[in-house]
Amino acid sequence: MALEGYHSPQVDVAVRLNTNESPEPPPEAFRRRVAEAVAAVDWHRYPDRGARALRAALAAHHGVAPANVFCANGSNEVLQTVLLTYGGPGRVAMVFEPTYRLHAHIARITGTGVVTVDRTRDLTIDPAAAADAITRRRPAVVLVCSPNNPTGIAEAPGVVTRVCEAAGEAGALVVVDEAYGQFARWSALRLVDGERPVAVTRTYSKTWAMAAARLGYLVGPTWLVERLEQVVLPYHLDAVTQIAGVLALDHEAEMRERVGRLVAERERLVAALGSLDVDLWPSEANFVLFRPRRVPAADVWRGLVDRGVLIRDTSGWPGLEGTLRVTVGSPGENDRFLEALTEVIAAGG
Ligand SMILES: *Cc1c(COP(=O)(O)O)cnc(C)c1O
């Protein structure tokens, strides 16, 4: 079967609000310390294969043991390792569509079948339908994205708990992708314990403003982390990435402030969009999904590009017809977006 690649267009415009990156870089002090530490790297030696300093720092950050932490080159590599370990021919992964397209994509790349469960009309997961599908379809892995990309919606704690219960009974592993976890009001990290097959993935790409570094990780039971370490390539995580990951955690306060500023900007964006002729979905992430009511989404997207603003065209995704997704940028970028969108809608495209 031919697979379509994953493409997020990198168009050259002034305001890029299409890939959910942080509009601000990480703190200057962090960048200086990384540069100093990188200057002292033993370039002729392999990096620490067990990423011990990084896993210890993340474990302290989350109040778990280092043996509960698995690190990789972005949370996408974490998911790929999970699916290489637990998926493969004859096994299936379950996803709740519409959701992050890389979940199904990575599953297929690893030869894992994909079982799709549709979300409800309000784009949340129906816990009874999810539990029923898990019991009937017996997936090896259940992937839950919360807050969900591209909708921004966070599942209620009771929904994720119900999914974990059903999966536990069916012998399935649940992975909650929390790429946007710190933007949300609750985290599934509290459902992770030493035994049950539940894990949470996080990334440095969004809230930590470090998309350039390629670093993500999973918090889960020890038995899971041990299996993943057996499957992932040796020395996959280079010395520079490990250094950056450790030092970033010393700047948690700045991360929390940055996330706070973005949440405030998100609320400003939502309020402004609310006064335009668009439908909106509630977001607990750093982006907002909306649907222009009168102007076709493709025309709005093109009109914005013509005005130097790039957002994500999600209108072709099944279940998301007519929608667009905008990343929360800096206050200036958000103003440029709102001005351009107001113009485009008034002009009819
Ligand atoms: C951006 C994003 C990621 C991040 O992937 P990395 O490989 O860590 O950069 C993971 N999951 C979702 C849902 C995302 O939107």
Side-chain angles (χ1 to χ4, degrees):
M1 176 184 56
L3 285 173
E4 234 183 87
Y6 178 82
H7 300 289
S8 189
Q10 293 192 314
V11 181
D12 206 9
V13 294
V15 179
R16 288 190 315 195
L17 301 175
N18 66 325
T19 48
N20 300 342
E21 293 150 314
S22 163
E24 304 173 28
E28 158 68 27
F30 160 79
R31 287 179 281 156
R32 197 179 53 243
R33 288 176 68 205
V34 170
E36 284 163 14
V38 168
V41 163
D42 281 331
W43 287 98
H44 55 306
R45 301 294 182 196
Y46 280 106
D48 178 16
R49 182 169 173 177
R52 283 167 298 180
L54 176 58
R55 289 167 66 194
L58 282 167
H61 179 72
H62 287 296
V64 297
N68 296 115
V69 181
F70 173 76
C71 299
N73 294 286
S75 50
N76 286 322
E77 194 190 28
V78 175
L79 291 173
Q80 183 188 55
T81 309
V82 167
L83 288 160
L84 284 170
T85 309
Y86 291 95
R91 298 183 185 158
V92 298
M94 181 171 284
V95 296
F96 301 93
E97 295 286 1
T99 192
Y100 188 47
R101 289 206 292 197
L102 272 176
H103 288 169
H105 185 68
I106 296 170
R108 292 194 182 98
I109 282 173
T110 62
T112 312
V114 176
V115 169
T116 300
V117 177
D118 289 335
R119 288 168 183 266
T120 58
R121 276 181 50 126
D122 65 2
L123 298 178
T124 58
I125 295 174
D126 175 343
D132 181 55
I134 291 167
T135 307
R136 282 187 300 106
R137 307 300 297 272
R138 300 269 147 186
V141 181
V142 179
L143 298 168
V144 177
C145 192
S146 179
N148 188 33
N149 184 2
T151 62
I153 298 170
E155 296 304 330
V159 173
V160 181
T161 303
R162 184 75 194 90
V163 168
C164 291
E165 283 166 4
E169 283 160 21
L173 169 67
V174 178
V175 179
V176 184
D177 182 336
E178 287 196 351
Y180 305 95
Q182 297 93 331
F183 290 111
R185 285 171 296 184
W186 81 284
S187 167
L189 281 166
R190 68 175 189 227
L191 302 176
V192 175
D193 63 25
E195 287 304 320
R196 59 206 306 234
V198 176
V200 171
T201 59
R202 289 271 175 109
T203 177
Y204 281 69
S205 299
K206 313 285 165 54
T207 53
W208 290 100
M210 286 168 59
R214 309 307 304 128
L215 181 57
Y217 62 94
L218 167 149
V219 178
T222 312
W223 55 261
L224 170 64
V225 172
E226 279 168 6
R227 291 287 310 278
L228 300 178
E229 292 289 358
Q230 286 164 357
V231 169
V232 78
L233 291 175
Y235 308 111
H236 66 127
L237 207 58
D238 73 66
V240 174
T241 305
Q242 294 187 32
I243 286 169
V246 171
L247 293 178
L249 299 180
D250 287 345
H251 298 271
E252 184 185 349
E254 291 101 312
M255 181 275 283
R256 302 246 170 243
E257 284 163 25
R258 189 170 54 241
V259 166
R261 285 194 292 278
L262 286 169
V263 168
E265 273 299 297
R266 179 187 75 206
E267 295 312 308
R268 183 172 79 88
L269 208 52
V270 165
L273 284 167
S275 67
L276 295 175
D277 199 12
V278 303
D279 296 321
L280 276 179
W281 283 267
S283 171
E284 289 196 44
N286 66 335
F287 54 85
V288 180
L289 187 76
F290 67 99
R291 180 166 50 209
R293 292 197 194 113
R294 268 179 260 278
V295 186
D299 295 353
V300 172
W301 185 85
R302 173 50 56 194
L304 292 173
V305 170
D306 292 344
R307 289 165 178 78
V309 179
L310 178 64
I311 66 172
R312 190 72 191 263
D313 183 357
T314 47
S315 63
W317 298 27
L320 294 179
E321 290 76 13
T323 63
L324 298 165
R325 186 196 71 191
V326 60
T327 303
V328 179
S330 66
E333 289 172 329
N334 299 332
D335 286 340
R336 293 269 306 266
F337 161 72
L338 287 169
E339 281 161 27
L341 181 65
T342 305
E343 266 180 44
V344 171
I345 288 179

